[in-house]
Amino acid sequence: MKKASEYYVVLTDVVASRNIPDRKVFKTVFDRAIQQINIALANDLRMPMQGWKGLDEAATLIKNPACLYQLIDMLNTLLAPEQMRVVMVKGAVELPQTTNITQADGPAFHQAASLMSSLKASGLLLAANTGSKQTDLLLQLNINALQLLKSSWTSRQRLLYATYLKEGNQEAVAKSLEVTQQTVSKTLKTINAAQVQQLESDLQQWLNDQFK
């Protein structure tokens, strides 16, 4: 183990995992989602995300919390209709000689595990301890509100919205998902996509400014 240094520990846990109908299929989907996150956020992760303790848990170390919302939203989109609880804690971590996060140790992991227990009892989706109560409050208010809102969306609505953000126009979304442009337009209006996109953009800008 290397000497302990401060990092941001992120632990994730599937909400109501006992209700997953086919755990073997979910494991495959979960592993694929983790791989996609490790590729998309490679520059933001100190250690790659990987399975943690149980079938429905994962952990990572992040360099910069500005990527937190993107990580959470990717997980929930890729795993829909399942929903993830997430905790982020800044604290001391002893890094292993490998990139295997299950071999890392330190107070931050114990703090994160304790925070996860409290989060489960609250029924919310995010809890944070960055060392700043004001920052934690703003993170929790904004991310919980957005992700609880999007938890009411169907898997198809989440996919269509994510595709719209990627493609940038309705015609491309319709072609990609093999639906009519009218269907795309109607779905985006139903989920208030323009308003949600603005809120997410504002949140990401705040994250970028907060964690320069």
Side-chain angles (χ1 to χ4, degrees):
M1 290 281 185
K2 296 182 181 179
K3 183 179 179 180
S5 299
E6 282 203 328
Y7 295 99
Y8 292 94
V9 173
V10 174
L11 300 184
T12 73
D13 178 53
V14 180
V15 175
S17 59
R18 292 182 179 180
N19 297 331
I20 295 173
D22 191 327
R23 296 178 68 81
K24 185 176 181 180
V25 170
F26 175 78
K27 179 66 165 59
T28 300
V29 174
F30 194 26
D31 288 346
R32 189 181 303 124
I34 289 173
Q35 291 174 3
Q36 291 185 47
I37 285 170
N38 284 335
I39 292 171
L41 302 180
N43 293 331
D44 299 302
L45 304 183
R46 178 60 183 81
M47 297 188 75
M49 178 175 278
Q50 67 181 86
W52 178 261
K53 294 185 177 180
L55 165 73
D56 50 2
E57 301 174 51
T60 184
L61 292 187
I62 59 178
K63 300 175 185 176
N64 187 340
C67 74
L68 180 64
Y69 185 74
Q70 185 181 358
L71 185 155
I72 292 171
D73 196 58
M74 279 189 69
L75 265 180
N76 284 329
T77 297
L78 293 169
L79 297 177
E82 308 304 335
Q83 192 84 2
M84 301 296 292
R85 296 186 195 90
V86 178
V87 299
M88 181 178 73
V89 171
K90 182 181 181 181
V93 175
E94 297 174 9
L95 296 179
Q97 297 297 321
T98 69
T99 59
N100 186 344
I101 196 169
T102 63
Q103 296 176 4
D105 198 8
F109 284 98
H110 305 295
Q111 293 165 15
S114 177
L115 192 57
M116 180 64 82
S117 296
S118 300
L119 181 62
K120 289 180 180 180
S122 75
L124 296 174
L125 300 175
L126 172 72
N129 184 353
T130 65
S132 166
K133 289 185 177 180
Q134 182 178 12
T135 298
D136 295 343
L137 179 62
L138 289 171
L139 279 170
Q140 292 165 174
L141 285 172
N142 284 284
I143 295 179
N144 276 310
L146 279 165
Q147 288 301 309
L148 286 169
L149 168 66
K150 294 174 81 171
S151 69
S152 66
W153 295 1
T154 66
S155 301
R156 189 65 174 173
Q157 287 171 333
R158 290 198 74 125
L159 175 61
L160 192 147
Y161 178 75
T163 306
Y164 178 69
L165 294 184
K166 178 182 177 181
E167 299 291 352
N169 65 81
Q170 295 184 17
E171 184 178 354
V173 174
K175 183 177 181 180
S176 175
L177 300 182
E178 298 182 343
V179 297
T180 66
Q181 189 169 342
Q182 182 181 11
T183 296
V184 173
S185 177
K186 182 178 180 181
T187 301
L188 293 176
K189 288 180 181 178
T190 298
I191 63 175
N192 295 311
Q195 293 80 6
V196 172
Q197 184 180 6
Q198 183 62 59
L199 290 170
E200 290 184 324
S201 177
D202 291 346
L203 172 59
Q204 189 58 58
Q205 185 59 59
W206 177 81
L207 285 166
N208 293 342
D209 293 341
Q210 186 72 21
F211 298 105
K212 290 180 179 177

